[in-house]
Amino acid sequence: MTAASPHAYFPVSARIGADLKAQIAQGVYPPGAALPSTRALAAELGVSRTTVTAAYDQLVAEGYLETRPGARTRVAAGLQPAPAPVAGGRATAHHLSAYGRRLLAEPLMPEPLMPEPLLPGSLLPEPVMTEPAPGPAIDFRYGDLSGNDFPVLAWRRALTAVLLRRPARLGYADPRGLPELRAALQAYLWRARGLRCGLDQIVVVNGSQQGIDLCARLLVDPGDRVVMEDPGYGAARRAFAAAGAAILPVPVDAEGLQTGRLAAVGPARLAYVTPSHQFPLGGVLPVARRQALLAWAEACGATIVEDDYDGEYRFDARPVEALMSLDRTGRVIYAGTVSKTLSPQLRLGYLVVPPALSDVVTEAKRLADRQAPGLEQAALAGLLTGGGYERHLRQARRRHADRRAALLAALAESFGGTVRVEGAAAGLHLVAWFDHRPAAAETGMAAAARAAGIGVYPVGPLYHDPAARPDRAGLLLGFAGSEPGTIREGIRRLAVALAGERRAGI
């Protein structure tokens, strides 16, 4: 795809006006200078005089040009000369708030951008963009879903039904979210996650990441202590660190957060956990540890943020109930999302907050962006109430189970006993540990894989304290974005690439 010229999408008069502005800024036409007559410029450019007149008229309206009866059009006398370029091409320095400085102090986490349209059947036009950098041919990036899984027909029907119910008046809606979606979520969460909550406890957000950010802004002051799983979700860690939190990493094991270590950690303002499927190692927090976590929070007055990012997916049993279902003292905030069930590009998630926090979370959401997009909210409500969402979810579980089986079989075939798999019983990713390779080898392994067209992602950056991680290489492999045959081929190529990388390093 060839990048389109930005001028290709503007009328000729607008292009002439833009060129004249650039020449004025460069001093070709200084303040007070006369411009060519419309007739002369039209002949020079090979366009109609009407087109040039329209360009001049627009620049007069914007204050760039001045006209007087019987005189040539001139550059406005009061225009200031364009500022000289900043030395070295660096941007002007701006004062950053403490929040901004903390944000930049954390390592950036760039993610490849996808050039595809937002959704199959999206009502929005595809944006004009330049050619993206080529990504890996087979990508095991966690968080991606297969486009083949998106319920195009069901979503389009839901959108059409919403559009046909065109309201008589268009205005801002409740920052908590559309009442019909919150009612549908209330019923769904009771069925699927064992949660019982009031409608005012549900706040629809733009993906669970916005929910996490709202929690950080509302509940954490600079210097407050925040417990986080180690390893854990990096974007959540950055959100709390940017809010000024002192991060307290607590190790995880095969069953999730080691709650027995909380007494040694001491009191904290907040704890962020992924109890239904620990990210990234996959442990499911057992009931005894959940009770211990709740007791610790009550004893020290902490709030728990429960991120249930992919709790709908289990392959050996039905999904476990949410931690919030055990909460009897209003300590838990539950964060859910449709990013792993429908599409991460939809940007729809929800918080279930204790009644005491309902009003303040609502006001924070109002100030952040007024409300989540109403059209998508209404369409999701239709899918939930009509049964289409859970039908889609049942189909997605079967497809993901096939992908998971293909990945496990391919790892066993290509690597045998040299790879140990962790966290495969639930969710949409697993961790492949290479016990015979040191942790320092991860970067080279990922680079060798990418050179072979395979996207794999080291576990190391997900540890808050690199020194606390085991000295073995680990790769995070997401399997929800590819079909079984592609997964098998990707692992075969990965094995070849890693074998070559290791020989080259000897």
Side-chain angles (χ1 to χ4, degrees):
M1 179 174 71
T2 302
S5 165
H7 288 330
Y9 301 95
F10 293 96
V12 175
S13 62
R15 282 184 260 162
I16 294 172
D19 290 341
L20 285 173
K21 287 181 187 179
Q23 292 181 352
I24 291 170
Q26 294 165 10
V28 176
Y29 293 108
L35 267 66
S37 69
T38 54
R39 190 185 304 277
L41 187 57
E44 182 180 342
L45 298 178
V47 299
S48 71
R49 186 181 178 188
T50 301
T51 298
V52 176
T53 300
Y56 278 23
D57 288 346
Q58 181 61 35
L59 294 186
V60 169
E62 294 180 16
Y64 285 92
L65 305 181
E66 296 175 337
T67 59
R68 292 192 302 274
R72 295 262 299 275
T73 300
R74 294 179 178 274
V75 177
L79 281 184
Q80 297 296 317
V86 178
R90 292 174 295 178
T92 301
H94 295 275
H95 172 75
L96 286 178
S97 68
Y99 176 87
R101 295 193 297 273
R102 288 190 296 265
L103 196 62
L104 290 181
E106 284 284 309
L108 297 180
M109 299 172 61
E111 295 184 71
L113 298 178
M114 300 179 67
E116 289 83 356
L118 293 178
L119 284 173
S122 171
L123 297 180
L124 298 177
E126 183 174 0
V128 176
M129 57 182 66
T130 57
E131 183 72 21
I138 301 175
D139 201 346
F140 290 96
R141 186 164 72 117
Y142 170 75
D144 289 356
L145 301 181
S146 172
N148 294 331
D149 290 353
F150 187 80
V152 175
L153 295 180
W155 185 253
R156 184 171 291 171
R157 283 195 298 268
L159 283 176
T160 300
V162 174
L163 291 172
L164 291 176
R165 299 195 308 265
R166 181 173 57 184
R169 189 183 184 93
L170 298 175
Y172 296 108
D174 189 334
R176 289 180 173 88
L178 297 184
E180 57 265 39
L181 176 56
R182 288 186 286 126
L185 287 170
Q186 182 187 42
Y188 170 74
L189 290 170
W190 176 74
R191 293 192 305 269
R193 314 299 293 125
L195 279 183
R196 289 166 174 79
C197 61
L199 284 182
D200 286 349
Q201 291 180 251
I202 299 175
V203 179
V204 179
V205 290
N206 287 310
S208 58
Q209 186 63 41
Q210 185 187 40
I212 294 168
D213 182 66
L214 290 175
C215 291
R217 292 171 185 269
L218 291 174
L219 300 172
V220 176
D221 283 321
D224 282 348
R225 293 153 56 90
V226 171
V227 166
M228 300 203 68
E229 301 163 329
D230 197 23
Y233 180 41
R237 184 173 69 221
R238 291 197 70 211
F240 291 114
I247 304 299
L248 306 176
V250 175
V252 302
D253 58 21
E255 294 186 327
L257 184 75
Q258 296 184 29
T259 53
R261 295 177 177 248
L262 290 174
V265 169
R269 179 69 63 197
L270 183 144
Y272 169 86
V273 293
T274 53
S276 293
H277 184 227
Q278 198 278 325
F279 185 84
L281 301 186
V284 177
L285 201 65
V287 170
R289 291 195 187 185
R290 292 174 184 236
Q291 293 170 336
L293 177 60
L294 291 168
W296 167 84
E298 185 174 2
C300 66
T303 301
I304 300 170
V305 176
E306 175 186 9
D307 188 355
D308 193 15
Y309 64 98
D310 67 357
E312 292 87 354
Y313 299 108
R314 284 196 65 83
F315 303 107
D316 57 357
R318 69 180 301 275
V320 298
E321 291 188 345
L323 171 68
M324 193 179 195
S325 67
L326 299 176
D327 182 20
R328 299 294 179 263
T329 59
R331 290 287 170 192
V332 179
I333 296 174
Y334 176 91
T337 181
V338 301
S339 292
K340 308 301 184 294
T341 55
L342 287 175
S343 169
Q345 296 178 353
L346 262 180
R347 307 315 305 142
L348 279 178
Y350 46 90
L351 294 178
V352 183
V353 302
L357 293 176
S358 176
D359 288 344
V360 69
V361 173
T362 299
E363 286 308 300
K365 171 65 178 174
R366 189 197 307 272
L367 292 179
D369 58 6
R370 285 300 282 259
Q371 66 190 65
L375 183 64
E376 287 83 353
Q377 287 190 67
L380 178 57
L383 280 185
L384 283 164
T385 56
Y389 182 79
E390 283 162 286
R391 283 195 297 274
H392 163 71
L393 193 52
R394 288 192 293 271
Q395 294 171 356
R397 283 194 189 106
R398 290 193 292 269
R399 291 175 177 174
H400 293 322
D402 291 342
R403 294 171 177 131
R404 166 184 170 270
L407 178 55
L408 290 172
L411 287 170
E413 180 179 349
S414 295
F415 293 99
T418 64
V419 164
R420 180 171 53 83
V421 171
E422 187 171 7
L428 302 178
H429 73 274
L430 55 80
V431 174
W433 291 109
F434 295 76
D435 291 333
H436 61 293
R437 307 282 304 265
E442 284 180 355
T443 302
M445 294 165 68
R450 183 162 288 267
I454 308 300
V456 295
Y457 302 90
V459 173
L462 300 177
Y463 281 84
H464 179 80
D465 180 7
R469 64 157 296 173
D471 188 21
R472 56 174 178 264
L475 298 178
L476 185 70
L477 302 176
F479 53 80
S482 302
E483 301 308 320
T486 304
I487 289 171
R488 288 189 287 269
E489 175 62 15
I491 296 301
R492 185 193 67 78
R493 294 190 196 179
L494 175 65
V496 172
L498 295 187
E501 181 261 348
R502 195 168 192 194
R503 283 195 299 270
I506 296 176

